Amino acid sequence: MIKKLLQRVFQPGKKKPAPRPSDSASLVNGHAKHIPYKVHRIDRDLINQSAIKTTEGLQKAGFEAYVVGGAVRDLLLKRRPKDFDVATNATPEEVNRIFRRSRIIGRRFRLVHVMFGSETVEVSTFRGSHLSESDDAKTAESGRILRDNVFGSQANDALRRDFTANALYYDPESEEVIDFHNGFSDIQKGILRMIGDPETRYREDPVRMLRAVRLSAKLGLKVEKHTETPIAKLANLLQDVPPSRLFDEMLKLFLSGHAQESVMALRQHGLHHGLLPLLDVVLEQPLGERFINLALKNTDERVLAEKPVSPSFLFATLLWHEVLSAWQKFQELGERPIPALHQAMNEVIDIQAEKLAIHKRYSSTMKEIWGMQPRFEQRAGKRPFGLFEHPRFRAAYDFLLLRCESGEVDKSLGEWWTKFSEANAAERAAMLQPSTEPKKRRRRQRKKPTQAQPL
Ligand code: ATP
Ligand code: MG
């Protein structure tokens, strides 16, 4: 009923007459500036073809459609966008009907994924104000928005985006950028500014604090004073954010290519303290600091060189020194080394999981990488060959090299494995150390009851 009413009010099927292109930025459509190509200079050829096909398809069907958000911001900053999102006044059902290969996704926000070959374009319907009386928007006592599915006009949609730089709409047809909040001028000045009252906006969605830090580090934008000030005071609101969302955001932060700067900025803003156990570990642990800095540097270099990075590897590095200290603790309690390591791994993962939902597929790879570390010490008999054949050898070996570089283990161990991986069969055989196998076999014959290992 409410949806029907909204649809009638906004009449999504009827396109407004296109504004007349002009050579300078002009004020039309309420407060929006229409910025022509001559001023913004976004090269249309840099827009992803699938995104263009999507806007064209929607516009042909009589709807408004724009490339929006991060992609427009990145193009203005002369950076290659990670993804191209489209915003429209068509409802998800209408978008779904226009594109044969599309599906509606999402619960909190209903979006449409439009598929072109292996590419997917995310299409969102203009969202309205969450402050409406409608049942489709819900706010918690802290001010946090819980559900937010009200459709609205383009101006409403712009108002509920986070930063002015993220509220720009590019029309590939007219090649205009539509700017409701002076985002274009803020980008020119190198400023990241919150739309509306920053404190209210952080209360609505505390993740915006993390986004401010991440985007400013990634894009080299300065967080504007009023946008920055409330962060220190409101940092503890991050505690209310669901762990899975925090994990996604942390992943973006660590894999942005600017992890080192982002982590430093988080510390500066007091956003790490007592909030995210992972970051507490990362930032307040002198022992592991060198190891973690090396890991972040390594990740940043790989991202910037467009090499693949594995979240499991990164999280394994971030938590390694926690595992080491728990490992020592369990051994001091009388546990044998390998079971003690497995207990330590489980304990560390469990503590993190409370706040940060590390997905099972990541945590099992992390455990494999950690669990393989003691096996690098064994350089006799068949064992090195078995380890070398392990599907995770490469990741575990890279991990070992970081441990060597940080000074935790002797460099000669990493060098031995580098030589072993590059050697031929005869050279490998010559490298092996004297075998200790017989002793182990004798011990196994004693038939001790096997202890259940918590892996
Ligand atoms: P990135 O380069 O990391 O993708 P982005 O700004 O594009 O950065 P997305 O998560 O892809 O980030 O979000 C796309 C757009 O959605 C943003 O540009 C912004 O307009 C809007 N947006 C995203 N998250 C929020 C939020 N928490 N509050 C308000 N608007 C948001
Ligand atoms: Mg994006």
Side-chain angles (χ1 to χ4, degrees):
M1 175 72 188
I2 287 161
K3 218 182 277 171
K4 272 198 192 138
L5 192 72
L6 281 169
Q7 278 170 11
R8 231 180 299 142
V9 172
F10 295 117
Q11 296 184 320
K14 289 195 184 143
K15 197 176 173 184
K16 286 189 296 299
R20 205 161 48 85
S22 65
D23 281 350
S24 61
S26 60
L27 270 174
V28 280
N29 194 8
H31 302 298
K33 283 192 179 115
H34 284 230
I35 303 168
Y37 169 77
K38 240 186 169 171
V39 177
H40 64 66
R41 295 279 172 187
I42 290 178
D43 181 355
R44 190 179 186 272
D45 291 344
L46 296 177
I47 308 277
N48 167 294
Q49 276 308 306
S50 305
I52 292 196
K53 279 187 214 153
T54 308
T55 54
E56 275 174 1
L58 288 162
Q59 289 176 347
K60 261 191 212 133
F63 296 103
E64 293 172 45
Y66 304 89
V67 173
V68 70
V72 185
R73 173 200 72 207
D74 291 352
L75 287 168
L76 289 173
L77 288 164
K78 306 282 176 240
R79 288 165 187 259
R80 185 138 62 91
K82 209 166 50 155
D83 40 40
F84 288 81
D85 298 329
V86 165
T88 178
N89 60 348
T91 62
E93 288 73 17
E94 284 165 334
V95 179
N96 189 219
R97 252 178 270 138
I98 294 169
F99 299 98
R100 206 168 41 84
R101 293 200 57 222
S102 67
R103 62 194 155 100
I104 300 179
I105 58 139
R107 263 183 303 153
R108 187 164 178 257
F109 302 134
R110 284 167 70 240
L111 305 164
V112 185
H113 277 175
V114 181
M115 276 82 76
F116 297 90
S118 61
E119 274 182 352
T120 301
V121 178
E122 200 164 276
V123 182
S124 60
T125 302
F126 292 150
R127 280 197 215 113
S129 162
H130 59 273
L131 297 175
S132 111
E133 297 284 301
S134 153
D135 262 359
D136 282 339
K138 286 266 177 303
T139 315
E141 252 175 58
S142 62
R144 187 162 67 90
I145 299 173
L146 301 177
R147 202 144 51 77
D148 188 7
N149 244 335
V150 189
F151 301 138
S153 65
Q154 187 183 10
N156 294 147
D157 186 81
L159 192 60
R160 33 163 334 288
R161 292 182 181 268
D162 45 9
F163 305 103
T164 61
N166 282 348
L168 296 166
Y169 301 75
Y170 176 77
D171 179 353
E173 170 69 20
S174 68
E175 295 191 51
E176 279 183 333
V177 167
I178 301 178
D179 180 0
F180 289 84
H181 299 283
N182 288 324
F184 181 73
S185 133
D186 280 345
I187 288 181
Q188 304 297 310
K189 289 188 238 158
I191 288 175
L192 193 65
R193 187 197 307 269
M194 182 64 80
I195 295 171
D197 171 50
E199 178 163 341
T200 312
R201 305 299 314 279
Y202 292 135
R203 285 188 183 279
E204 284 170 6
D205 181 3
V207 167
R208 288 172 186 152
M209 295 188 275
L210 294 176
R211 285 176 56 83
V213 168
R214 174 172 68 84
L215 292 174
S216 76
K218 172 174 145 177
L219 303 167
L221 298 176
K222 191 172 167 3
V223 184
E224 180 270 335
K225 202 172 115 254
H226 294 99
T227 303
E228 184 177 22
T229 311
I231 294 182
K233 184 176 102 186
L234 302 176
N236 65 351
L237 291 180
L238 280 173
Q239 271 164 354
D240 298 340
V241 177
S244 59
R245 194 152 174 245
L246 274 189
F247 182 78
D248 289 348
E249 200 52 39
M250 297 315 296
L251 208 57
K252 280 194 186 178
L253 191 143
F254 285 125
L255 302 180
S256 65
H258 301 271
Q260 287 185 99
E261 288 142 271
S262 302
V263 166
M264 258 162 53
L266 284 173
R267 196 206 293 255
Q268 239 172 42
H269 289 102
L271 277 178
H272 68 295
H273 197 78
L275 297 171
L276 314 172
L278 183 73
L279 283 177
D280 269 355
V281 171
V282 179
L283 303 176
E284 286 172 1
Q285 175 182 233
L287 229 190
E289 193 165 347
R290 185 169 152 69
F291 182 75
I292 282 156
N293 282 340
L294 278 171
L296 293 178
K297 183 166 158 271
N298 183 281
T299 310
D300 284 347
E301 283 165 4
R302 287 185 70 90
V303 172
L304 297 176
E306 298 192 1
K307 289 188 191 163
V309 278
S310 130
S312 321
F313 183 87
L314 178 66
F315 283 108
T317 58
L318 295 178
L319 295 171
W320 176 237
H321 278 260
E322 282 297 282
V323 174
L324 279 182
S325 54
W327 189 9
Q328 196 180 343
K329 177 186 83 183
F330 285 117
Q331 290 189 80
E332 281 165 7
L333 290 172
E335 192 53 278
R336 284 175 299 135
I338 300 303
L341 173 59
H342 289 174
Q343 285 178 24
M345 296 183 332
N346 286 332
E347 185 183 86
V348 169
I349 293 275
D350 287 349
I351 293 174
Q352 296 303 316
E354 269 175 39
K355 272 277 150 58
L356 205 60
I358 297 182
H359 200 281
K360 248 227 154 67
R361 73 169 185 275
Y362 295 132
S363 58
S364 54
T365 310
M366 288 161 67
K367 286 180 187 174
E368 278 184 299
I369 294 174
W370 291 334
M372 283 165 80
Q373 296 308 308
R375 294 174 63 187
F376 283 106
E377 307 278 350
Q378 300 168 348
R379 286 173 283 167
K382 290 191 181 131
R383 295 192 170 187
F385 296 95
L387 188 57
F388 190 63
E389 292 304 319
H390 194 289
R392 297 263 180 249
F393 172 80
R394 188 71 219 183
Y397 161 75
D398 285 344
F399 195 90
L400 172 73
L401 293 187
L402 275 181
R403 292 173 64 211
C404 292
E405 211 180 327
S406 72
E408 182 212 325
V409 283
D410 202 283
K411 272 204 160 47
S412 61
L413 186 63
E415 283 160 9
W416 190 94
W417 278 98
T418 305
K419 213 169 136 200
F420 187 83
S421 1
E422 291 163 358
N424 62 31
E427 287 164 344
R428 279 183 190 162
M431 285 177 72
L432 298 177
Q433 292 180 345
S435 180
T436 51
E437 279 296 288
K439 246 197 262 164
K440 295 241 158 104
R441 242 179 246 138
R442 228 179 297 131
R443 211 188 296 150
R444 228 179 273 147
Q445 280 163 2
R446 265 193 257 141
K447 279 200 179 148
K448 253 177 128 185
T450 41
Q451 254 187 314
Q453 287 186 3
L455 189 65

